[in-house]
């Protein structure tokens, strides 16, 4: 995490509003003291969102099957946990409504189930952490306002259209459609149990859609409010992370020891002269509005890191970009919208104006300390991996071999092992579903169809290199990537990842154990492939000299996927009794 002081890029005085003070010293400490405890702070990573949604649906199914709750109540109760994590401002209202609904259902004579009242303590306990986080955000806002000493300024490019919230509003609307359709079609299910599960799932999806829609509307409203009047301004330091987010630090933290918060931002100017020094795969102007990418390590992350270290080369170092001076417009707090005007990454460039595309996510003190230790360890591992990769690339470049007309790589034993393991998961899932519910078999069918599209690619992938670039076979047609667009080829953990201009990538995964390979003196096939492609990217003289034909580029894999999909559907139909 430590950044060399000499890397600091200066912001021109013309880009700094008159009277703007630096955010430093006691004002920063007051803001960090207002943060909620680490156990109450939210950690928005995409894996956490997926895990919360899956766990919520399983909890709803358990309340439906074993608790005998009506579908609506069974679906909404787990949503309360999701609202505690991501929408704490509505928890006080939803907890009160659910409290009354549970008491009313438990006391109603036709289904008086007093054990249902056991969920009431959970509802009551969900309110304090949400309220604490809401009040902590207010304290953060007060501390930031005090730090600005009353200095405000109009935002630059204030007339630019508001893009914030578009993605989430569309995603929320997209979720509402299948949720409403599933709920409306519930009476068509043949069995009563299927109707209950369909209704529960439909209401659960509608609740998720409304939550995402609310997030988009709230982000858009805050972005509009930021533009309507002069905003408080503060001088800070910023840098870009390997995840594509921006970290904001105190104006005097030139060693980058204590990042204050992270926020996803975009460059609306989409200038070609802007380069992302933190992540070579993220292009200028790329604006993935995804507020679920901020990171604050927790115990689950530490456990996953330990497991990854045991199986692979260890954690990937987070190569953060250089420090740059910036002016922060707005009051930063948990969930806030801001604007940053920062120094250009390149000397002599124009200042970069960046609007937030996601909410501000503060970093806790303990989380920063844990991440510092983790990144120091990761930096050592990354240096070792880079050195090993450089050695392999140098060995490939040193070979005095005539370039061939066409060079091909294809799936090997490690890929067949990965395919076998995936197929075993399908077999286990097939025999694990013993319930006669139509809903269970529909989920089994969807899981199998997903596997049917992945197994052919995993088992039969092919990379063909010729003088024009590389060809990647796929389900529908081969994809061509010119040499000038191909940026990197590396093995990262279990994945072989090829990246090219525009932010796109191609990934295939197979088992890998660094310790086992070092003990046996072996080199993983993905390492060899990545080294050979990297050498060709760096030195055009090593590239093939001919042009590949259609047969050499690999056939479309959709016929194999279709056969697997039909076979799996037949097995599910036989198990359900349809055939």
């Amino acid at each position: 995490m430590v950044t060399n002081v000499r890397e600091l890029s200066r912001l021109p005085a013309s880009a700094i509003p008159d009277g703007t003070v630096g955010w430093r010293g006691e004002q920063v400490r007051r803001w960090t003291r207002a943060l909620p405890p680490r156990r109450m702070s939210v950690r928005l990573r995409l894996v956490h969102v997926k895990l919360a949604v899956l766990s919520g649906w399983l909890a709803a199914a358990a309340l439906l099957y074993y608790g005998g709750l009506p579908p609506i109540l069974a679906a909404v109760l787990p949503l309360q946990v999701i609202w505690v994590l991501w929408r704490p401002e509505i928890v006080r209202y939803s907890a009160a409504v659910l409290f009354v609904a549970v008491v009313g259902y438990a006391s109603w004579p036709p289904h008086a189930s007093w054990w249902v009242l056991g969920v009431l303590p959970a509802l009551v306990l969900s309110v304090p952490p949400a309220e604490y986080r809401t009040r902590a955000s207010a304290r953060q806002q007060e501390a930031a306002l005090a730090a600005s000493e009353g200095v405000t300024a109009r935002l630059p490019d204030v007339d630019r259209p508001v893009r914030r919230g578009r993605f989430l509003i569309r995603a929320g609307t997209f979720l509402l459609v299948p949720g409403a359709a599933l709920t409306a079609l519930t009476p068509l299910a043949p069995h009563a149990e299927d109707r209950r599960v369909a209704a529960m799932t439909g209401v659960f999806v509608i609740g998720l859609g409304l939550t995402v829609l609310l997030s988009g509307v709230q982000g858009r409203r805050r972005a509009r409010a930021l533009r309507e009047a002069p905003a408080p301004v503060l001088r800070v330091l910023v840098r870009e992370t390997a995840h594509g987010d921006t970290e904001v630090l105190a104006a005097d933290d030139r060693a980058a020891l204590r990042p204050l918060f992270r926020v996803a931002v975009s460059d609306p100017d989409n200038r070609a002269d802007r380069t992302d020094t933190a992540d070579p795969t993220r292009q200028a102007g790329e604006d993935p509005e995804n507020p679920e990418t901020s990171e604050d390590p927790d115990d689950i992350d530490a456990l996953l890191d330990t497991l990854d270290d045991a199986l692979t080369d260890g954690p990937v170092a987070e190569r953060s970009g250089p420090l740059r001076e910036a002016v922060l417009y707005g009051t930063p707090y948990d969930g806030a919208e801001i604007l940053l005007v920062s120094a250009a990454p390149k000397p002599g460039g124009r200042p970069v104006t960046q609007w937030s595309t996601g909410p501000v996510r503060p970093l806790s003190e303990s989380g920063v300390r844990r991440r510092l230790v983790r990144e120091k360890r990761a930096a050592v591992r990354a240096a070792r991996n880079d050195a090993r990769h450089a050695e392999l690339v140098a060995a490939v470049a040193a070979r005095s071999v005539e370039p061939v007309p066409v060079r091909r790589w294809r799936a090997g034993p490690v890929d067949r092992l990965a395919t076998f393991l995936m197929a075993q998961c399908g077999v286990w899932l097939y025999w694990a579903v013993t319930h006669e519910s139509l809903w269970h078999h529909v989920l089994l069918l969807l899981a199998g169809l997903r596997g049917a599209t992945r197994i052919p690619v995993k088992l039969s992938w092919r990379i063909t290199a010729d003088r024009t670039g590389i060809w990647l076979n796929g389900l529908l047609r081969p994809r061509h990537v010119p040499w000038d667009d191909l940026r990197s080829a590396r093995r990262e953990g279990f994945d072989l990842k090829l990246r090219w201009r525009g932010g796109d990538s191609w990934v295939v995964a197979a088992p890998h154990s660094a310790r086992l390979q070092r003990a046996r003196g072996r080199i993983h096939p993905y390492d060899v492939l990545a080294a050979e492609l990297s050498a060709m990217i760096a030195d055009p003289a090593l590239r093939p000299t001919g042009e590949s034909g259609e047969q050499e580029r690999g056939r479309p894999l959709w016929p194999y996927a279709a056969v697997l999909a039909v076979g799996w559907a037949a097995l599910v139909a036989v198990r359900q009794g349809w055939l």
Side-chain angles (χ1 to χ4, degrees):
M1 286 177 58
V2 178
T3 303
N4 196 317
V5 172
R6 291 175 297 178
E7 294 180 345
L8 182 64
S9 299
R10 298 289 184 179
L11 186 65
S14 58
I16 304 174
D18 295 337
T20 305
V21 297
W23 197 14
R24 55 168 59 93
E26 180 59 29
Q27 297 291 358
V28 170
R29 288 188 289 271
R30 178 184 173 187
W31 189 86
T32 56
R33 284 196 299 266
L35 297 177
R38 179 169 171 266
R39 294 301 176 186
M40 288 188 180
S41 59
V42 66
R43 295 163 179 84
L44 283 179
R45 297 182 66 185
L46 188 58
V47 64
H48 297 155
V49 177
K50 294 178 179 178
L51 182 61
V53 172
L54 177 60
S55 301
W57 186 87
L58 293 176
L63 292 173
L64 185 73
Y65 279 115
Y66 305 112
L69 293 180
I72 295 179
L73 198 56
V76 177
L77 281 173
L79 288 173
Q80 179 75 359
V81 179
I82 296 178
W83 294 332
V84 170
L85 294 175
W86 290 290
R87 294 269 64 90
E89 62 274 6
I90 68 173
V91 168
R92 66 175 73 173
Y93 309 106
S94 60
V97 173
L98 288 174
F99 190 96
V100 174
V102 170
V103 172
Y105 175 80
S107 59
W108 193 256
H111 32 65
S113 303
W114 291 100
W115 71 266
V116 177
L117 298 178
V119 302
L120 296 182
L123 289 174
V124 173
L125 293 176
S126 67
V127 177
E131 287 293 316
Y132 193 95
R133 285 181 51 205
T134 302
R135 296 180 182 181
S137 297
R139 293 194 298 269
Q140 296 165 31
Q141 191 172 8
E142 293 175 0
L145 285 172
S148 66
E149 299 182 359
V151 179
T152 61
R154 297 287 299 181
L155 275 67
D157 298 333
V158 72
D159 296 328
R160 190 178 296 273
V162 179
R163 301 178 60 186
R164 177 74 172 102
R166 289 182 182 177
F167 174 80
L168 293 179
I169 291 174
R170 293 171 182 171
T173 306
F174 176 79
L175 286 174
L176 289 177
V177 173
L182 185 59
T183 305
L185 296 176
T186 295
L188 301 180
H191 304 292
E193 197 67 24
D194 293 333
R195 291 193 291 270
R196 283 168 51 83
V197 175
M200 179 272 295
T201 304
V203 174
F204 184 77
V205 175
I206 290 175
L208 291 177
L210 290 175
T211 304
V212 176
L213 185 62
L214 175 62
S215 299
V217 171
Q218 189 178 62
R220 192 172 187 83
R221 179 180 61 81
R222 289 176 176 174
R224 289 183 181 276
L226 182 64
R227 299 166 181 246
E228 290 175 353
V233 288
L234 287 167
R235 296 188 65 173
V236 294
L237 300 179
V238 298
R239 66 175 182 177
E240 291 165 350
T241 71
H243 300 284
D245 295 334
T246 294
E247 281 185 343
V248 175
L249 306 95
D252 56 352
D253 188 10
R254 299 185 62 182
L257 297 176
R258 177 56 171 101
L260 301 176
F261 62 84
R262 284 186 174 183
V263 61
V265 298
S266 68
D267 180 3
D269 293 334
N270 196 20
R271 290 196 292 270
D273 62 342
R274 182 188 169 206
T275 58
D276 194 331
T277 57
D279 185 1
T281 68
R282 182 164 175 164
Q283 302 302 310
E286 186 180 354
D287 180 20
E289 185 183 343
N290 182 8
E292 318 300 347
T293 56
S294 300
E295 180 181 8
D296 190 2
D298 55 12
D299 295 335
I300 297 178
D301 293 335
L303 178 61
L304 294 177
D305 293 339
T306 302
L307 178 62
D308 185 65
D309 291 352
L311 297 176
T312 65
D313 289 334
V316 179
E318 184 172 310
R319 296 180 175 89
S320 298
L323 282 177
R324 294 177 289 142
E325 287 186 341
V327 174
L328 185 154
Y329 290 78
T331 51
Y333 60 92
D334 190 5
E337 305 291 331
I338 62 170
L339 179 137
L340 294 169
V341 177
S342 58
K346 291 182 178 180
R350 293 181 298 167
V352 179
T353 301
Q354 297 172 309
W355 295 91
S356 58
T357 60
V360 166
R361 293 304 176 197
L363 300 174
S364 65
E365 190 74 39
S366 58
V368 171
R369 288 197 301 268
R370 287 171 58 88
R371 188 157 63 93
L372 178 61
V373 174
R374 179 187 175 204
E375 290 179 2
K376 285 181 178 179
R377 180 168 56 94
V380 175
R381 299 291 184 90
R384 185 180 65 188
N385 293 343
D386 291 343
R388 185 185 302 128
H389 179 72
E391 291 177 1
L392 291 175
V393 173
V396 171
R399 296 175 187 170
S400 57
V401 180
E402 290 285 336
V404 296
V406 178
R407 181 76 168 89
R408 293 186 295 272
W409 300 268
R410 62 180 65 199
V414 293
D415 301 283
R416 290 191 284 273
L417 175 60
T419 305
F420 174 77
L421 295 176
M422 178 178 289
Q424 290 301 305
C425 293
V427 172
W428 176 87
L429 183 63
Y430 181 82
W431 292 110
V433 176
T434 58
H435 201 280
E436 296 181 357
S437 170
L438 172 63
W439 185 252
H440 286 181
H441 285 84
V442 169
L443 292 178
L444 181 64
L445 177 64
L446 295 178
L449 294 180
R450 170 64 174 167
T453 60
R454 296 188 62 185
I455 286 179
V457 176
K458 188 177 290 292
L459 190 61
S460 304
W461 64 263
R462 179 183 295 185
I463 302 175
T464 304
D466 58 18
R467 65 179 182 83
T468 63
I470 63 172
W471 295 85
L472 306 168
N473 69 337
L475 286 175
L476 300 180
R477 69 180 72 86
R479 182 169 187 176
H480 182 247
V481 182
W483 287 113
D484 291 340
D485 292 343
L486 192 60
R487 298 176 66 87
S488 66
R490 290 294 297 269
R491 180 191 58 78
E492 300 176 0
F494 296 144
D495 298 337
L496 170 65
K497 182 171 292 188
L498 310 183
R499 298 185 175 96
W500 53 87
R501 194 181 308 277
D504 291 336
S505 63
W506 178 87
V507 181
V508 66
H512 172 263
S513 174
R515 290 187 176 90
L516 181 61
Q517 289 182 199
R518 286 194 295 267
R520 304 191 64 175
R522 300 289 183 88
I523 301 177
H524 197 279
Y526 287 179
D527 286 323
V528 178
L529 193 160
E532 293 178 350
L533 273 179
S534 298
M536 294 179 184
I537 294 173
D539 187 358
L542 301 176
R543 299 171 185 173
T545 57
E547 191 164 343
S548 60
E550 293 185 3
Q551 295 295 329
E552 294 174 303
R553 297 168 187 170
R555 298 176 179 177
L557 301 177
W558 67 263
Y560 306 105
V563 171
L564 289 176
V566 171
W568 181 264
L571 289 175
V572 174
V574 170
R575 190 176 183 84
Q576 177 67 12
W578 298 333
L579 295 178

